[in-house]
Amino acid sequence: LAKTTQPISMDSYEGQEVNITCSHNNIATNDYITWYQQFPSQGPRFIIQGYKTKVTNEVASLFIPADRKSSTLSLPRVSLSDTAVYYCLVGDLDTGRRALTFGSGTRLQVQP
Amino acid sequence: GAVVSQHPSRVICKSGTSVKIECRSLDFQATTMFWYRQFPKKSLMLMATSNEGSKATYEQGVEKDKFLINHASLTLSTLTVTSAHPEDSSFYICSVGTGAYNEQFFGPGTRLTVL
């Protein structure tokens, strides 16, 4: 599985857009990029997944450049409840049947 | 997606006792479940892969005789921490992989405190 690198922490204010970038230089052709969110004392929650270009859902957007060596999770207009740890993972199509390897994640702190 | 529950949500036990944690897949028949452990302010670390009807696969460094895993049905996997010690205090999380790319569904976690 490709190794990922993320900033350890980020700070933001309510109402701002937050962009968290993840580096995955060794991503393989069949790898997808997935982001999870984890609140304290809870299990991780799936946010978004993509392969290339841009993916958007009701929660976030995921931007993936053509070389796919990085990806950016974009959270529009964050609120205090978005304070959490965000994990970027990469894996192939069958990874759902195999355990996920979590990196250190990015701890996002949203201030009022 | 799959809905996963864990019981208990938190447990406190004395050193030397055994604790059983249940992981249930409420709406998906899971042939495979995963058990993770997470220490404070750290990332999730895979402990073992639970396979329905067969032995679990443990990660390197995880003692299989200490962390007993039973996956007797497609909806239930249990993790038993035997002869628990304070260093076993941690947050234990299970997950279910539905096979959809690398999307997994996690339980709410169990906070174990060993006194």
Side-chain angles (χ1 to χ4, degrees):
Chain A
L1 297 174
K3 178 179 170 59
T4 60
T5 303
Q6 304 174 233
I8 294 176
S9 64
M10 294 183 69
D11 293 309
S12 184
Y13 292 94
E14 282 190 293
Q16 290 189 332
E17 178 186 75
V18 171
N19 296 308
I20 306 174
T21 297
C22 177
S23 297
H24 28 79
N25 291 319
N26 296 322
I27 189 169
T29 302
N30 292 333
D31 282 346
Y32 277 67
I33 301 157
T34 310
W35 286 78
Y36 283 82
Q37 175 192 54
Q38 185 181 28
F39 296 114
S41 296
Q42 293 187 29
R45 183 175 73 103
F46 173 89
I47 300 177
I48 198 167
Q49 181 182 81
Y51 183 79
K52 61 180 179 179
T53 62
K54 176 184 175 182
V55 179
T56 297
N57 60 22
E58 63 278 5
V59 177
S61 294
L62 179 59
F63 298 92
I64 306 170
D67 66 4
R68 304 200 328 122
K69 293 183 182 298
S70 67
S71 59
T72 300
L73 173 72
S74 181
L75 305 172
R77 297 180 300 280
V78 295
S79 63
L80 296 177
S81 62
D82 292 316
T83 294
V85 178
Y86 293 82
Y87 294 97
C88 161
L89 294 88
V90 297
D92 61 30
L93 298 183
D94 198 37
T95 310
R97 304 183 193 280
R98 293 189 273 113
L100 300 177
T101 299
F102 285 82
S104 59
T106 298
R107 191 171 299 273
L108 172 65
Q109 180 69 50
V110 180
Q111 307 278 4
Chain B
V3 178
V4 182
S5 70
Q6 284 185 238
H7 178 80
S9 58
R10 57 178 62 234
V11 56
I12 300 173
C13 70
K14 294 182 178 180
S15 184
T17 60
S18 295
V19 175
K20 179 184 287 187
I21 302 170
E22 294 184 348
C23 175
R24 293 184 183 274
S25 176
L26 300 181
D27 57 355
F28 181 80
Q29 294 192 320
T31 57
T32 303
M33 294 185 183
F34 306 101
W35 286 96
Y36 297 82
R37 180 168 54 182
Q38 186 175 33
F39 292 108
K41 296 192 183 300
K42 298 295 184 181
S43 186
L44 284 77
M45 294 294 293
L46 177 68
M47 297 177 66
T49 301
S50 172
N51 304 300
E52 188 268 335
S54 64
K55 292 182 178 180
T57 304
Y58 291 82
E59 294 301 297
Q60 190 173 7
V62 178
E63 300 175 55
K64 62 180 180 180
D65 294 329
K66 179 170 183 61
F67 299 99
L68 301 179
I69 292 174
N70 183 278
H71 194 155
S73 76
L74 291 173
T75 59
L76 174 64
S77 175
T78 61
L79 169 68
T80 300
V81 183
T82 62
S83 186
H85 291 284
E87 57 265 31
D88 297 323
S89 297
S90 186
F91 193 54
Y92 292 87
I93 309 170
C94 70
S95 75
V96 169
T98 63
Y101 306 136
N102 53 353
E103 179 177 343
Q104 290 191 5
F105 297 91
F106 288 81
T110 297
R111 174 78 58 195
L112 170 63
T113 302
V114 184
L115 302 178

